[in-house]
Amino acid sequence: MSEIKKNSMIEREVLILGSGPAGLTAALYAARADLSPILLTGMVLHGQASTTDVIENYPGFPDGIGGSELGLLFQTQAERFGAEIVMDQAVSVDLKKRPFVVNTYSGTYTAKSLIISTGAAPKKLNVPGEKEFTGRGVSYCGTCDGWFFKDKDIIVVGGGDSAIEEGLFLTRFAKTVTIVHRRDKLRAGAILQNRAFENQKISFVWDAVVSEILGEDGVQAVRIINTKTDEERVISTDGIFIFIGHKPNAEMFAGQLELDETGYIKINRFMETSVPGVFAAGEIADPTFRQVITSAGMGAAAGIQATRYLENLENEA
Ligand code: NAP
C-alpha cells in the first residue's frame, strides 16, 4: 500500500476508483498491460465483499473463502504486476477536462482514462432512532459488529440474501435472531432460506416493517407495523441489523455521467460510460447481479477496454 504526500499532484494513464473486486481486477489487468495504474481504495478497503464472513460462491475456492482474505489476495495479485494501491478517497471529479481530474482528501490526480468502481452503500430505513443509535445498537454489518452481541437478542431487517446470510452469521453470537421482513416470502436463495428455517435461534416476523428504533443509551426495542393489518407492536431487542439493499456511490458523478433512474452509472457492454475514456465496473454500474464474480468480470473488461482506449489515443496522436 502506497502513501501519497498531502497536496500532491499525480498524473497517470489509468486511475481506478474503489478497491472492491471490480477495482482490484481492473487494476490487475491495467497493470499487466504495463500501464502502472493507481487505485484509490475509497473508505471501505476491499469493498463490501470484504465484510462478508465467508464467500461460498466465488469459483476456485470450493470450501469458501473469507471476504477480507479474498480482498487481500486480489490486492496482492494486482500489486505483483505493478498496480499502486493508495489509501485515499476521491471527493470530486472533473470529467470535462482532459486529462480527467480527480480531487481527493490528499491531493489531485489526473488521468487519461478513469475506471469507476466505487460500489454501493447499505440503504437506510430512514426511521426515527436509526441515525441516533448507529454504532450503539444499529448496524449494517454482521461481520463487523456481531461480536458485540454475544448472548443478546437481535433483530435483522430484510428478506434478501444479505439479510439471511448475515442473520445466520449472527446466530454464532446472539441468543436469538428475529428476522423482520415486509412480505411473507423471502427473496433470498433457496440454500440460505433452508439454513435459516432449520436454525433454532432464528425466528421470523412476516409482513412487518420497522417504524421506529427505541432506546436510551443504546437500542432497547423497535416499533413494528404489520403491513396487512396496520397493527403496531413493540419488540424488545439489544440490536438491529439492517440489510435492505444498497445505494450506488455515484453522487460525485451526477451531472457529468449518465445515471439511470435509480442512480447507477449507465454503461454499455464495453463498460463505457457516457464520457469516452471513463469506464465503470462492479456494483456502481450493476443493479442486477452484484456478485463478487460478476464484479471481478466487469473489472477485467474495464481494464481491457481502458487499455484499448489508450492505445487508440496514442495511434491518433
Ligand atoms: P436485495 O436482494 O435487494 O434484498 C433487499 C431486501 O430488503 C428485500 O427482501 C426487500 O424486500 C427488503 N427491503 C428493501 N427495502 C426495504 C425497506 N425500506 N424496508 C424493509 N425491507 C426492505 O438486497 P441484498 O440482500 O443486499 O442483496 C443484494 C445483491 O447481492 C443480490 O443480488 C443478492 O443476490 C446478492 N448477494 C448474494 C449473496 C450470496 O450469493 N451469498 C449474499 C449477499 C448478497 P422485498 O423482498 O419485499 O423486496
Side-chain angles (χ1 to χ4, degrees), residues 48 52 54-57 123-126 157-166 180-189 192 208-210 242-246 283 287-291:
Q48 289 181 89
T52 304
V54 182
I55 295 175
E56 291 183 323
N57 51 10
K123 270 193 201 158
K124 307 276 191 294
L125 279 174
N126 293 322
V157 184
D161 282 326
S162 298
I164 304 309
E165 195 169 75
E166 298 271 344
V180 175
H181 182 37
R182 65 182 178 183
R183 293 186 292 134
D184 62 0
K185 277 191 189 66
L186 296 175
R187 181 180 290 278
L192 286 172
V209 289
V210 171
I242 299 163
F243 304 108
I244 57 168
H246 298 97
E283 197 171 337
T288 313
F289 300 111
R290 300 127 119 199
Q291 305 292 301

Side-chain angles (χ1 to χ4, degrees), residues 62 107 150 175 178 209 239 310:
K150 240 177 168 16
K175 189 163 72 194
T178 306
V209 289
L310 291 166

Side-chain angles (χ1 to χ4, degrees), residues 71-143:
L72 192 56
L73 287 173
F74 282 153
Q75 180 183 330
T76 308
Q77 195 169 353
E79 284 176 325
R80 181 181 149 212
F81 293 100
E84 202 176 328
I85 314 291
V86 178
M87 266 286 206
D88 201 355
Q89 158 106 340
V91 288
S92 67
V93 293
D94 189 342
L95 305 181
K96 286 186 197 79
K97 290 218 172 91
R98 300 294 163 124
F100 304 118
V101 178
V102 174
N103 299 304
T104 72
Y105 285 127
S106 308
T108 300
Y109 294 77
T110 59
K112 287 184 192 158
S113 158
L114 185 66
I115 299 176
I116 300 170
S117 40
T118 47
K123 270 193 201 158
K124 307 276 191 294
L125 279 174
N126 293 322
V127 297
E130 182 178 21
K131 205 169 169 189
E132 187 185 344
F133 292 118
T134 293
R136 292 189 294 143
V138 173
S139 172
Y140 304 87
C141 175
T143 316

